[in-house]
Amino acid sequence: MAIQIKETGYSKWLTPIIIIAAAVVLLVTGLVILLSDSLGVSIDEGEKRIEVAEGDGASVIADKLGEADIIKYTWLFKIQSKAGGYDGNFQPGAVTVSSGMSYGQILDLLITPNRETARITIPEGYEIKQIAQKLDEEGVVGWQDFYAALNPADYNYPFLQGLPQRDGVMEGYLFPATYEIPEGMTAHDIIDLMLSAFNSQFTQEMYNRASELGMTTDELITMASIIEREAGEGEKPKVAGVFYNRRNSGMKLQSCATVQYILGERKPVLSIADTKIDSPYNTYMYPGFPVGPICNPGMESINAALYPEVTDAYYFVLGKDGEHIFSATYDEHVAAMSGSDPTVSVADTAIENQDNLKQ
């Protein structure tokens, strides 16, 4: 005889209730887990830093935060960014996230400009010593540490390969620009930042063009550095043309800027004794290029070195109006010197008549 058990109303709803309750518990547990990270990240070290590049969006930043083990749920971070209107407003630079910060606080930090950075402008034509001094004065890094980090072997860039031994071996390659330097960057990091900027600006086409001119990259940058220190606005291609004329003819470049580099000061009026200092940088004594760049040139000077103006001039002198007077012959140059600025000059007898070498 079969026994039938009649299902009561209570037991009929018991199973669905258990299922629903379990689902609610799981949902609440999941939300608690999610919110615990969203409302306060946990970082064992206390804080971590990431670098935000120009143009980084929420997805890229979320991935960086995730890869650094700062946040657990990158998708939730992106949702909060979208919902909160943060997308498209992120500022480049370093971000230090402390343990306990919420996703919202991290997002607020990410849209804050100039956070934890020193904004440093390196002018075109600065020498390494000036860069080191500026960074020291701004409290970014000590000049001693900066000089200690100037070892080409420590950086992996093609233009640093095979440089000749010289003082200031990396002169010419610390690209002049405005840099956002995050707090805590080492001297090595800062130098690498400047070298990376040069690397991004000096294209393969420029390497090829230097080869067409029969020059190494180092010679090209050396020429650009002389142009940077010798020429004013709008005159750089023509000044470049003069130096190429002299170089291609075997003439001495006789650049005052190279002597100023030896002296360690921008002495406005050079003496005969100054031009006779025995140095591989002295283009009054030795023909051809000096042993290396004399400053860190900007792109205008680099482009002038790559594409000099075709000119019949072999000499130039700064006129009283602030513009250079260009001459094709030595006699014309001597005449032009009578109309030059006497406060920026070199002794007349230091200029050699090299007309017999002209091609």
Side-chain angles (χ1 to χ4, degrees), residues 96 174 288:
T96 299
L174 303 185

Side-chain angles (χ1 to χ4, degrees), residues 50-53 56 59-70:
I50 66 164
E51 294 286 338
V52 178
D56 278 358
S59 181
V60 172
I61 294 172
D63 289 342
K64 289 182 178 181
L65 290 166
E67 290 167 3
D69 293 325
I70 295 173

Side-chain angles (χ1 to χ4, degrees), residues 145-161 170 174 186-196:
D145 293 334
F146 191 80
Y147 270 99
L150 290 168
N151 181 11
D154 294 337
Y155 306 90
N156 186 27
Y157 294 99
F159 49 83
L160 295 181
Q161 305 303 312
M170 293 169 69
L174 303 185
T186 65
H188 178 279
D189 294 335
I190 295 169
I191 292 169
D192 191 58
L193 188 66
M194 295 177 178
L195 294 173
S196 178

Side-chain angles (χ1 to χ4, degrees), residues 38-106:
S38 175
L39 296 177
V41 298
S42 178
I43 303 173
D44 292 339
E45 297 89 337
E47 62 181 28
K48 284 188 176 180
R49 180 193 298 265
I50 66 164
E51 294 286 338
V52 178
E54 187 77 42
D56 278 358
S59 181
V60 172
I61 294 172
D63 289 342
K64 289 182 178 181
L65 290 166
E67 290 167 3
D69 293 325
I70 295 173
I71 64 173
K72 293 186 178 75
Y73 310 106
T74 57
W75 60 270
L76 181 59
F77 183 88
K78 287 184 276 190
I79 289 173
Q80 285 192 223
S81 176
K82 185 73 172 178
Y86 293 95
D87 287 9
N89 296 307
F90 300 117
Q91 301 296 314
V95 177
T96 299
V97 180
S98 300
S99 189
M101 290 181 68
S102 69
Y103 283 14
Q105 288 174 322
I106 297 172

